[in-house]
């Protein structure tokens, strides 16, 4: 059972979230907070697995509350649930320690899946805000045709060995191409590269 604390300044939203999260029976809402300071206090008292955190709240906003929860109860992870999708808010939430970021118009099943993912230590991001974690890319990048092929396969979840087999090249050549790709699109890992590819390369699905 995943123990969840809900933080939102609207009582109806808190009640609605509690009902949605309990929909599959493996998530239990153990408390709710109307503002960030209360969220921190309840997190310290109850030690939930996950806090579902709104960003816009009185007394203390969700960014400060996320930082406070993560600082006081390191074992508790924070899933931001908000209507804000702008780059600044997303980055502030991540810098404060949020593990995932979902928008309030998400489907109930997607929200429950995000809570499970956060509880498991994964990093779920609504696809509509994931691009905010990446630098703005120019319309024309300097990637070679081969680098684009490699990047498309990364976006499809291929490992280096699989890419090498698919393209008929050595695995060390794949690694060299990826190093070049990462530098050119200014990312540091495969996940960010895959997101970039889906946003900027045609047929990268």
């Amino acid at each position: 059972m995943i123990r969840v604390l809900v933080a939102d300044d609207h009582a109806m939203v808190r009640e609605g979230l509690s009902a949605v999260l309990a929909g599959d029976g493996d998530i239990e809402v153990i408390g709710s907070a109307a503002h960030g300071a209360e969220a921190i206090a309840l997190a310290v008292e109850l030690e939930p697995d996950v806090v579902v955190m709104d960003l816009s709240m009185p007394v203390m906003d969700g960014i400060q509350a996320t930082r406070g929860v993560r600082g006081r109860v390191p074992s508790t992870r924070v899933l931001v649930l908000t209507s804000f999708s702008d780059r600044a808010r997303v980055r502030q939430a991540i810098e404060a320690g949020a593990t995932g970021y979902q928008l309030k118009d998400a489907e109930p099943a997607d929200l429950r899946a995000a809570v499970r993912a956060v509880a498991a230590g994964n990093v779920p991001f609504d696809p509509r805000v994931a691009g905010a974690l990446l630098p703005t890319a120019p319309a024309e990048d300097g990637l070679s045709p081969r680098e684009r092929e490699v990047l498309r396969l990364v976006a499809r979840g291929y490992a280096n060995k699989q890419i090498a087999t698919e393209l008929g090249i050595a695995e060390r050549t794949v690694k060299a191409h990826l190093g070049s790709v990462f530098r050119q699109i200014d990312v540091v890992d495969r996940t960010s590269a895959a997101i970039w590819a889906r946003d900027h390369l045609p047929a990268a699905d």
Side-chain angles (χ1 to χ4, degrees):
M1 186 70 71
I2 301 171
R3 302 166 67 252
V4 174
L5 171 67
V6 172
D8 194 289
D9 58 324
H10 294 97
M12 289 184 64
V13 173
R14 294 196 300 273
E15 291 182 11
L17 286 174
S18 297
V20 165
L21 292 172
D24 290 341
D26 61 338
I27 298 172
E28 177 187 10
V29 177
I30 60 172
S32 64
H35 53 74
E38 187 177 13
I40 294 173
L42 286 175
V44 170
E45 176 186 347
L46 302 174
E47 297 186 359
D49 300 307
V50 178
V51 177
V52 176
M53 183 81 74
D54 187 23
L55 290 187
S56 181
M57 294 185 290
V59 183
M60 178 187 291
D61 67 20
I63 299 295
Q64 293 174 290
T66 295
R67 188 175 292 110
V69 168
R70 295 294 295 145
R72 300 280 298 279
V73 196
S75 62
T76 295
R77 296 184 172 96
V78 175
L79 172 65
V80 167
L81 181 66
T82 183
S83 57
F84 297 102
S85 60
D86 59 281
R87 178 183 295 265
R89 288 295 187 110
V90 176
R91 289 190 175 277
Q92 287 171 0
I94 298 307
E95 289 169 1
T99 302
Y101 198 108
Q102 297 290 308
L103 297 182
K104 281 189 172 179
D105 61 356
E107 293 294 326
D110 292 337
L111 177 58
R112 291 192 292 269
V115 168
R116 294 188 191 101
V118 167
N122 297 319
V123 187
F125 274 82
D126 188 299
R128 291 166 294 177
V129 301
L133 300 177
L134 302 177
T136 303
E140 294 295 332
D141 56 69
L143 301 178
S144 70
R146 176 64 85 186
E147 288 170 343
R148 286 170 175 265
E149 288 179 321
V150 169
L151 187 51
R152 287 191 179 98
L153 292 176
V154 168
R156 291 168 59 185
Y158 282 44
N160 287 357
K161 187 174 183 179
Q162 293 173 304
I163 295 172
T165 300
E166 179 77 13
L167 299 180
I169 58 179
E171 190 172 351
R172 65 177 178 275
T173 304
V174 174
K175 292 178 180 178
H177 283 314
L178 282 178
S180 175
V181 167
F182 286 6
R183 287 192 298 274
Q184 291 184 68
I185 66 175
D186 194 22
V187 300
V188 297
D189 57 42
R190 297 175 78 91
T191 300
S192 297
I195 294 171
W196 189 97
R198 291 176 185 135
D199 287 345
H200 297 95
L201 291 184
D205 51 4

